Structures are given as C-alpha cells and as structure tokens.
C-alpha cells in the first residue's frame, strides 16, 4: 500500500509529519516523487496554503495520481480548519473534488484530515 500526503503548509507539518510517522511505527518509506513509488512508500507534498491547495494543488495531485495508475492507494489531505468548523472544511474539499472529477474515475481512496483551527496551535 502506498500513500500520498498532501499537506496545507510548507513548513511546520511538513517537518513534523515524517517524525510523527516514525514514532507511530508507520513502517513506510518516504520517497520524493511518484516515479519512485514501489511498495510501502509515501510521498509528502505541500499544498502551499489552504487557498492554493483547494484551488490548484489538489487537482494537480489527483491528476498526477491518475496519470500513474496503481502507484498510490490512498491520498491523505491534511489542512487547517482556520475560521471554519472541521466538518465544514471537509465538506468544502469533498465538493471541490466532486465538482472536478467523477467518483468512478478515482481509483484510490481519499481521506481528509482537518486540524481544528490550525496545526501550530
């Protein structure tokens, strides 16, 4: 199984998540690019902020995964709630995806994890 983590920020969580995964004995190896994905790998990518993530980077990421069939089993989107409620942020991401893709075209699982307000707090 292979994971693609799309993270909102470019700094804190991008630095912390690999250490947290190691601490949790995640058991997967980080690779830099989807072309390097073999077995039990994961990719970390910054969404360059919530606005950029939900208006551009999310779609670029999904397109990349679709163009590399069989490489990624689960896309995990991690972003801050900021001024929204957690479920409202999740719903907005889901709506963005469903407005641009048909569910039958997505051949991998998508999970959205929302930090209540922001990761740094």
């Amino acid at each position: 199984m292979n994971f693609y983590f799309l993270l909102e920020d470019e700094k804190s969580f991008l630095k912390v998540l690999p250490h947290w995964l190691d601490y949790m004995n995640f058991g997967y190896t980080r690779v830099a690019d989807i072309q390097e994905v073999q077995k039990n790998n994961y990719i970390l990518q910054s969404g360059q902020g919530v606005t950029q993530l939900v208006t551009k980077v999310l779609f670029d990421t999904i397109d990349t995964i679709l163009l590399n069939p069989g490489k990624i089993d689960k896309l995990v989107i991690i972003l801050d709630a900021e001024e929204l409620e957690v479920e409202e942020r999740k719903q907005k991401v889901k709506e963005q995806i469903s407005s641009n893709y048909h569910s039958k075209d997505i051949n991998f699982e998508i999970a959205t994890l929302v930090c209540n307000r922001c990761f740094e707090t």
Side-chain angles (χ1 to χ4, degrees), residues 62 65-66 97 101-110:
I62 291 173
I65 295 170
L66 291 173
I97 295 169
Y101 299 93
H102 295 288
S103 60
K104 64 180 175 76
D105 296 331
I106 304 288
N107 58 356
F108 51 91
E109 188 178 343
I110 299 176

Side-chain angles (χ1 to χ4, degrees), residues 53-68:
L53 186 148
V54 298
T55 60
K56 182 181 182 331
V57 179
L58 175 61
F59 308 121
D60 292 345
T61 301
I62 291 173
D63 290 345
T64 297
I65 295 170
L66 291 173
L67 288 170
N68 292 276

Side-chain angles (χ1 to χ4, degrees), residues 67-81:
L67 288 170
N68 292 276
K71 291 273 189 175
I72 300 298
D73 302 295
K74 188 169 195 171
L75 169 61
V76 181
I77 305 159
I78 304 175
L79 65 168
D80 295 338

